[in-house]
Amino acid sequence: MDTGRKAIFFDIDGTLYDRERSEELPGSTKLALKKLRENGHRIFICTGRVNCAVEQPLRALHFDGMILGCGTQIIYHGRELYYHRMDAETVYHLMGLVRQEGGLAILEGKDALYCDPPAPDSQLYAYYQKRLRQLDDLLKPIFGQSWEISKMTVRFPKEASERRQKLLRRASAWVTVIDSGKSAEFVPKGFSKATGIAYILEKLGINREDTVAFGDSMNDYEMLSFVGHGIAMGNSSEEILALCDDHTESVYEDGIYKACVRNHWI
């Protein structure tokens, strides 16, 4: 078993914790991260979330860096190394497509997220209210102010499957579409969690074979394919479980800690 120092990349939602179930990271995960640092491994968040959506309790865990917005922003030891802003033409075109097909667009920037509320009688209104509670003053209206974003998330009513698929097909000419079922992420072409990791490896002189990633959903697919050792959480989608040879327990069954012990990283 290779016990050398690793660069280890962690998805947030469904991997470090599941905010639908709890606002707290498992204690075993916090302990694993602490022991990884003590053993000389470098640890990174690698997420579809943009910078402003990473909560302070996560920041307090002393990650070496963060790959944000599916590779569109990269931070190392508190310093921004890279940021890609979506061009306005693409954003306005995609917003038009979303409106035509009855979806709800959330624009995601490093300092705020932007969304115009749907009608109160819409199926999407409850989802909007939930996101408003989660994000508080970070969620702002789209129109009537200036904004910058690096990616988008789109939500659809449950019964709109045909319109949803039509939108995703049309949008794929402009962006990379990551379909997670409940929602879809629109990411600028050429960017992914894997490209963010590649950028970090080049900057820091880390060998690809010395990289590890933990993930659970389709926006982790390229990351888990790229690293030297990809680990699927027990709560992963079928596609992710099929992709990875190494499976660990789910997020609230101490999956990260147990995988780190089995692989002799802690």
Side-chain angles (χ1 to χ4, degrees):
M1 177 67 67
D2 178 14
T3 58
R5 293 179 180 177
K6 304 295 183 184
I8 307 180
F9 300 85
F10 296 90
D11 172 53
I12 294 178
D13 297 292
T15 299
L16 288 175
Y17 83 115
D18 180 356
R19 65 180 168 190
E20 299 298 324
R21 176 171 170 178
S22 172
E23 293 296 322
E24 288 289 325
L25 271 73
S28 63
T29 297
K30 294 179 182 178
L31 179 60
L33 296 174
K34 179 175 181 291
K35 287 182 173 290
L36 287 171
R37 291 194 307 272
E38 290 173 349
N39 288 352
H41 304 291
R42 283 183 274 199
I43 58 174
F44 299 83
I45 284 174
C46 191
T47 181
R49 294 196 200 185
V50 287
N51 194 17
C52 65
V54 179
E55 300 97 333
Q56 186 55 40
L58 285 170
R59 298 177 188 275
L61 294 173
H62 306 295
F63 288 91
D64 289 278
M66 296 190 292
I67 296 169
L68 301 154
C70 292
T72 55
Q73 186 181 19
I74 299 171
I75 293 173
Y76 184 64
H77 286 173
R79 184 168 68 91
E80 182 180 271
L81 302 183
Y82 184 83
Y83 181 69
H84 176 81
R85 177 174 179 165
M86 284 183 77
D87 67 275
E89 179 187 2
T90 298
V91 176
Y92 282 118
H93 180 77
L94 292 170
M95 284 197 296
L97 295 181
V98 172
R99 285 196 300 272
Q100 287 174 27
E101 301 302 339
L104 181 71
I106 299 178
L107 312 187
E108 301 177 62
K110 59 182 175 180
D111 298 318
L113 290 88
Y114 307 87
C115 182
D116 287 328
D121 60 350
S122 165
Q123 282 192 18
L124 293 168
Y125 190 72
Y127 171 75
Y128 170 79
Q129 290 292 108
K130 178 182 176 182
R131 296 297 284 147
L132 193 60
R133 288 192 299 272
Q134 289 173 335
L135 295 166
D136 196 19
D137 59 352
L138 289 175
L139 187 61
K140 304 178 184 299
I142 296 174
F143 292 99
Q145 63 183 310
S146 61
W147 43 259
E148 57 74 28
I149 71 164
S150 61
K151 64 185 286 279
M152 298 172 60
T153 295
V154 178
R155 188 86 171 197
F156 267 85
K158 290 181 180 178
E159 78 280 2
S161 59
E162 290 186 10
R163 298 183 72 183
R164 182 177 183 277
Q165 291 305 317
K166 180 181 176 183
L167 169 66
L168 300 189
R169 287 194 300 270
R170 295 174 71 188
S172 64
W174 291 74
V175 289
T176 297
V177 175
I178 304 172
D179 186 2
S180 60
K182 292 181 179 179
S183 60
E185 294 173 273
F186 291 176
V187 180
K189 286 186 178 293
F191 291 87
S192 68
K193 291 185 178 184
T195 66
I197 293 173
Y199 185 97
I200 283 284
L201 301 190
E202 182 178 358
K203 285 290 183 184
L204 302 184
I206 298 171
N207 293 323
R208 186 170 168 181
E209 57 265 29
D210 293 326
T211 58
V212 177
F214 288 81
D216 70 291
S217 65
M218 284 306 293
N219 77 356
D220 300 317
Y221 195 96
E222 290 188 334
M223 170 179 78
L224 293 167
S225 301
F226 178 81
V227 296
H229 191 140
I231 302 175
M233 303 298 293
N235 47 282
S236 295
S237 67
E238 292 297 326
E239 295 90 345
I240 296 302
L241 291 170
L243 172 68
C244 296
D245 292 330
D246 192 347
H247 297 175
T248 192
E249 288 78 2
S250 68
V251 57
Y252 288 108
E253 295 174 320
D254 307 322
I256 288 176
Y257 185 89
K258 289 176 180 176
C260 289
V261 169
R262 283 194 294 266
N263 285 285
H264 304 286
W265 300 321
I266 61 176

